[in-house]
Amino acid sequence: MMTKYFIYIMLFVSVFSCSKKIEIDENKVFKLNRYDNISSLDPINARTQANNWACNLIYNSLVKIDNQLEIQPDIAKSWSISEDGKSYVFHLRNDVYFHKHEVFGKDSTRIVTASDFEYSFNRLKDPKVGGSGGWIMNNIDSYKAINDTVFEIKLKEAYPAFLGLISMKYASVVPKEMFRNGNEDFIKHPIGTGPFQFKIWEDNVKMVFRKNPIYFEFDEKGQRLPYLEAVNLSFLPEKNSEFLELIKGNLDMMADLDPSYKDEILNPIGDLNPKYAHLLTIQKVPYLSTVYLCFYLDAPNAVDLKLRQALNYGVNKDKIIKYMTKGQAFEADGGFIPKGLPGYSAESGYAYNPEKARKLINGYKKTTGKIEPIELTTVQEYVDVCEYIAAEMAKLGLPIKVNVVPGPTMRDGKSTGKFTLFRANWGADYPDAENFLSLYYSKNFAPEGPNYSHYKNVEFDKLYEEAFLINNPEERAKKYQKMDALMMQNAPILPLFYDQTTLFLNKKVKNFSMGPIKLLDLTRVYKE
């Protein structure tokens, strides 16, 4: 089987090299699958995870985010921010080239300049182009190339998360030469500056990238990156088929779990099944998403603060993680800001304490005389977690009735305030805690904004607005912690768990890592 697969790799490489046969060692080809397919290799459409993964192999932006969620130089080697936080000046490297292509003339490539970012930003915001990432330009007042290596951006309002925003693949640089005939040439052969360059795409079958031989990054020993010679993506639609190909050695990585094979690949406590220890390694990393219960505070029958706090104390989140997610999540021991994101603090939340919960429930009952059942709304997929919460709280004297609705009804109801208590989750659009705390800013009330709880606190709002004037990431993280703790005192939510990405890797794969924003980066990956 493996011999046949190596022959297949040699065959497609020979096709790409215009009949010049180039033998590539299988150990220099990274093989993975995307069951959800890829719809576009244009960075302005890098909306889905599948598109994002592919685009991250091909393109670069001004800045990038590392696995610790810190801003790092990319094509911009340095930058400065004005005192008012509204003006950014980027100084670009002068050794970054576009992938080789005949469109660039006799030299077959050219160096990237600041005017390329000007063109790329114009294209990103152009409604006629129809990209899905134009929204990241909403707070940009102007931008221009000062000269070949200096690019200036001015904002309408100060926004400390701005660098994280333009690290998204939407803001990647592309060459204007590829758009002389509209988008047609670029769709056929996308060109970027990244570690890998496009070679072939057979829709629903495979996609192949080859090493960019003029990529600008080098390792610590002076070797040009990347180490791999090629990346081969397949598009098997069945998740169980992906699992079978992984254990056969035909794939080098599988991300996340599916019920069809969860019990086979994991033991009862969520670790790798020993029968696969000789084939695979497992990595578990935080993912920027929080699963929680949300109280609608403006409901006619809004849940009292004592009962909201009782729920926070009374739910054993550790059992939910062990028995319902099989260890594939992190207990929400802090507030709404998830683990892995600056601003997270375990001190913001409520530790499991059923006696405190019981005391709060009895105190409320003594004051009011009785407790009406609280309706908890969810979709079918999460009914088991909600029924467990209801059973646990019933033991403490708080009746909860689980209401199951279809997905569209849930989406409409949480936006329009139809549910007193409902299950929800929130994932980051960009790696800054402001993205999470915006859900509790009073000017963001749903349905116009994401504040589904209708939480309102003058001090919180003041801190939220002050954070926009802080450019220092450490100082801003401290402000975020304070806001998260303040919000949790009022308990408009019950955080249940922080999501996790579970990766399964062929044991040959080395130096692979993935951060909380779940981008695929193969620049420094190699195989033994």
Side-chain angles (χ1 to χ4, degrees):
M1 179 68 182
M2 294 303 292
T3 303
K4 290 179 181 178
Y5 196 77
F6 180 57
I7 291 171
Y8 165 72
I9 291 171
M10 288 175 57
L11 284 173
F12 76 61
V13 171
S14 66
V15 171
F16 303 150
S17 57
C18 302
S19 301
K20 181 182 178 182
K21 188 174 181 180
I22 302 174
E23 294 186 7
I24 297 180
D25 184 349
E26 183 200 352
N27 286 327
K28 291 188 176 181
V29 179
F30 192 89
K31 300 162 291 184
L32 68 153
N33 183 68
R34 287 298 318 194
Y35 58 82
D36 50 352
N37 212 336
I38 291 170
S39 62
S40 174
L41 288 177
D42 190 331
I44 66 171
N45 291 317
R47 182 175 58 86
T48 66
Q49 186 184 101
N51 291 4
N52 235 319
W53 277 22
C55 286
N56 201 49
L57 300 176
I58 308 175
Y59 304 103
N60 295 93
S61 306
L62 289 165
V63 295
K64 60 184 177 182
I65 296 283
D66 66 16
N67 286 348
Q68 287 69 51
L69 300 180
E70 294 181 357
I71 303 292
Q72 299 293 346
D74 201 8
I75 294 179
K77 61 183 179 181
S78 63
W79 55 89
S80 60
I81 307 171
S82 63
E83 193 172 334
D84 64 3
K86 293 184 179 182
S87 181
Y88 292 71
V89 177
F90 298 89
H91 298 272
L92 310 187
R93 300 175 64 118
N94 61 2
D95 60 350
V96 180
Y97 292 83
F98 286 112
H99 298 153
K100 290 184 177 183
H101 193 277
E102 61 186 18
V103 75
F104 297 118
K106 64 176 183 178
D107 296 326
S108 72
T109 185
R110 71 166 175 83
I111 201 165
V112 174
T113 67
S115 63
D116 291 308
F117 279 100
E118 195 172 291
Y119 174 81
S120 300
F121 277 38
N122 284 338
R123 184 170 176 267
L124 177 59
K125 75 172 186 178
D126 187 351
K128 293 179 182 178
V129 178
S132 57
W135 61 272
I136 73 170
M137 304 290 290
N138 291 344
N139 190 38
I140 295 179
D141 184 51
S142 65
Y143 49 88
K144 63 179 178 180
I146 306 298
N147 56 44
D148 282 353
T149 59
V150 179
F151 186 63
E152 181 185 59
I153 301 176
K154 291 186 177 180
L155 305 184
K156 298 173 185 176
E157 302 291 342
Y159 188 54
F162 177 67
L163 289 174
L165 201 64
I166 61 168
S167 74
M168 299 173 76
K169 300 322 294 180
Y170 296 133
S172 300
V173 68
V174 294
K176 56 181 176 292
E177 291 92 338
M178 292 299 296
F179 300 94
R180 288 170 179 167
N181 301 316
N183 290 341
E184 184 177 344
D185 291 341
F186 190 76
I187 290 172
K188 291 178 181 176
H189 197 112
I191 294 290
T193 58
F196 297 92
Q197 53 192 356
F198 172 81
K199 281 299 175 183
I200 193 169
W201 182 3
E202 294 181 19
D203 195 29
N204 295 311
V205 179
K206 68 182 177 185
M207 183 178 290
V208 180
F209 303 103
R210 284 294 309 278
K211 175 180 181 175
N212 174 11
I214 56 172
Y215 186 56
F216 62 90
E217 284 195 281
F218 293 79
D219 68 12
E220 294 73 15
K221 296 180 179 179
Q223 181 177 340
R224 190 184 292 272
L225 297 170
Y227 301 125
L228 295 166
E229 287 291 335
V231 180
N232 183 34
L233 282 85
S234 58
F235 298 104
L236 297 171
E238 298 296 329
K239 294 182 182 181
N240 193 53
S241 298
E242 181 180 43
F243 166 64
L244 292 174
E245 290 302 298
L246 177 75
I247 61 176
K248 287 178 184 177
N250 295 337
L251 294 176
D252 291 312
M253 184 192 78
M254 182 176 72
D256 297 327
L257 284 163
D258 187 75
S260 63
Y261 55 75
K262 181 189 288 187
D263 292 336
E264 170 65 19
I265 200 168
L266 296 177
N267 66 17
I269 61 172
D271 293 329
L272 183 67
N273 188 329
K275 70 187 283 188
Y276 298 116
H278 67 294
L279 296 172
L280 307 173
T281 60
I282 185 172
Q283 287 186 13
K284 299 179 181 181
V285 295
Y287 179 46
L288 298 186
S289 175
T290 301
V291 176
Y292 64 107
L293 302 185
C294 182
F295 299 92
Y296 180 52
L297 303 183
D298 280 343
N301 56 339
V303 180
D304 184 81
L305 174 60
K306 286 184 178 178
L307 298 184
R308 300 200 304 267
Q309 290 177 332
L311 265 159
N312 272 278
Y313 281 123
V315 174
N316 189 333
K317 301 167 189 176
D318 184 56
K319 283 188 176 180
I320 293 176
I321 303 300
K322 281 184 178 178
Y323 303 117
M324 296 182 186
T325 74
K326 209 166 185 179
Q328 305 311 300
F330 297 101
E331 178 185 344
D333 54 354
F336 192 58
I337 300 173
K339 192 170 288 189
L341 191 62
Y344 158 81
S345 173
E347 296 177 3
S348 299
Y350 295 74
Y352 177 56
N353 191 327
E355 289 310 310
K356 266 191 178 181
R358 193 189 305 275
K359 187 175 180 180
L360 285 163
I361 293 167
N362 290 338
Y364 176 83
K365 191 182 296 184
K366 187 175 181 180
T367 303
T368 62
K370 64 175 183 177
I371 297 180
E372 295 293 335
I374 299 170
E375 187 169 83
L376 169 56
T377 304
T378 185
V379 293
Q380 185 62 44
E381 185 180 357
Y382 303 104
V383 69
D384 58 340
V385 172
C386 293
E387 287 181 344
Y388 165 76
I389 291 170
E392 289 297 291
M393 296 311 297
K395 297 174 185 176
L396 301 174
L398 180 60
I400 292 178
K401 177 185 176 183
V402 177
N403 175 37
V404 183
V405 299
T409 303
M410 171 63 86
R411 288 190 290 273
D412 176 69
K414 73 177 186 179
S415 295
T416 56
K418 293 179 181 177
F419 306 133
T420 303
L421 175 62
F422 56 91
R423 184 264 178 207
N425 70 284
W426 184 261
D429 291 320
Y430 46 90
D432 191 278
E434 182 273 333
N435 192 206
F436 285 82
L437 296 173
S438 64
L439 272 70
Y440 307 100
Y441 183 51
S442 66
K443 294 181 181 179
N444 287 342
F445 274 12
E448 287 78 19
N451 188 341
Y452 301 114
S453 66
H454 280 205
Y455 171 77
K456 184 175 183 178
N457 183 287
V458 174
E459 185 181 355
F460 182 96
D461 286 354
K462 183 172 179 288
L463 292 168
Y464 182 82
E465 291 165 2
E466 288 174 354
F468 278 79
L469 303 176
I470 301 174
N471 288 317
N472 184 294
E474 293 181 3
E475 290 182 21
R476 199 162 70 246
K478 290 178 182 177
K479 186 80 72 172
Y480 288 158
Q481 285 181 359
K482 190 173 182 181
M483 293 161 63
D484 205 20
L486 176 63
M487 180 273 294
M488 287 302 298
Q489 289 173 18
N490 299 122
I493 60 167
L494 162 56
L496 294 174
F497 52 85
Y498 308 127
D499 272 342
Q500 172 183 288
T501 299
T502 304
L503 302 167
F504 300 93
L505 299 164
N506 187 304
K507 291 200 84 166
K508 290 183 178 182
V509 174
K510 305 298 176 185
N511 215 31
F512 184 98
S513 64
M514 186 172 280
I517 55 175
K518 207 172 181 179
L519 269 181
L520 179 69
D521 184 357
L522 300 176
T523 310
R524 293 173 179 266
V525 171
Y526 63 93
K527 291 166 65 177
E528 287 186 344

